[in-house]
Amino acid sequence: MGRLRERGCEVIAHDLCAEGFVPGLSARETDTVGSAPGAHDPQVAMHRREVATLDVLVFVHPNWWGMPPAVLTGWVQRVLAPGVAYKLGSAEGEPEGLLRAGRALVLNTSDTPADREAAEFGDPLQSIWAACVLPYIGVTDVRRHVFRTVTDASEETRAAWLEQARGHAAALLD
């Protein structure tokens, strides 16, 4: 995110695991989540306040069994909640996005070769982010890049991936 800061952007970054973010959506949260943007958990409330101010969202995570890791899935469920990130506009479930962020970048790592991913699994992360989560909250420009395969990547390859990730992040401003 250094390139974004170099271009004058304020960057709010979170390492959910390092912060000890609890991914479990409690019954107490589901009782109030649709009616008010507040949260009983101060950490979740802070994330909800922050996400409402963002112009761009960036997600960085591994492909974990064709899904984001549990901590990020829990973040989506607890932070991108009804009344915060979207509201349902009709009985058919058509959402209205409430966030101002119109663009998102998803950077994934994977150990599954691209041809196998497409042929056997149909790229479930693309569906999760570009069809299910981000359009629901109003993001219309979804960009995603996958770095693979991680296990056998050399240090030079990994360094090149980091440079590519910086370039993808900077391109969000163009």
Side-chain angles (χ1 to χ4, degrees):
M1 299 303 135
R3 287 209 186 142
L4 295 176
R5 287 186 176 110
E6 289 169 7
R7 293 179 70 179
C9 297
E10 179 184 352
V11 175
I12 301 170
H14 290 283
D15 179 335
L16 298 176
C17 291
E19 291 177 19
F21 188 89
V22 176
L25 181 65
S26 70
R28 184 176 183 199
E29 282 180 292
T30 61
D31 288 342
T32 60
V33 78
S35 60
H40 301 291
D41 180 321
Q43 184 182 38
V44 172
M46 178 196 68
H47 281 258
R48 288 180 181 182
R49 283 190 306 274
E50 287 178 353
V51 80
T53 69
L54 302 177
D55 295 315
V56 174
L57 297 166
V58 178
F59 299 93
V60 180
H61 69 85
N63 178 341
W64 203 256
W65 292 97
M67 302 174 282
V71 69
L72 181 54
T73 300
W75 183 92
V76 167
Q77 293 170 353
R78 297 183 75 202
V79 175
L80 302 182
V84 175
Y86 70 94
K87 69 178 180 176
L88 296 177
S90 69
E92 291 81 32
E94 291 298 318
E96 176 186 341
L98 299 177
L99 298 184
R100 72 186 225 190
R103 289 167 289 169
L105 173 63
V106 180
L107 300 172
N108 297 128
T109 58
S110 179
D111 274 328
T112 306
D115 55 345
R116 180 171 182 235
E117 182 81 43
E120 292 184 34
F121 309 118
D123 198 357
L125 283 173
Q126 180 67 20
S127 295
I128 288 168
W129 290 112
C132 298
V133 174
L134 295 171
Y136 220 80
I137 63 173
V139 175
T140 56
D141 181 356
V142 178
R143 305 172 192 192
R144 183 167 160 260
H145 188 80
V146 183
F147 301 100
R148 61 175 98 221
T149 56
V150 174
T151 301
D152 59 0
S154 67
E155 288 302 316
E156 294 80 20
T157 298
R158 290 169 188 246
W161 288 344
L162 286 173
E163 189 59 30
Q164 289 172 23
R166 291 180 188 104
H168 289 299
L172 289 168
L173 303 177
D174 299 332

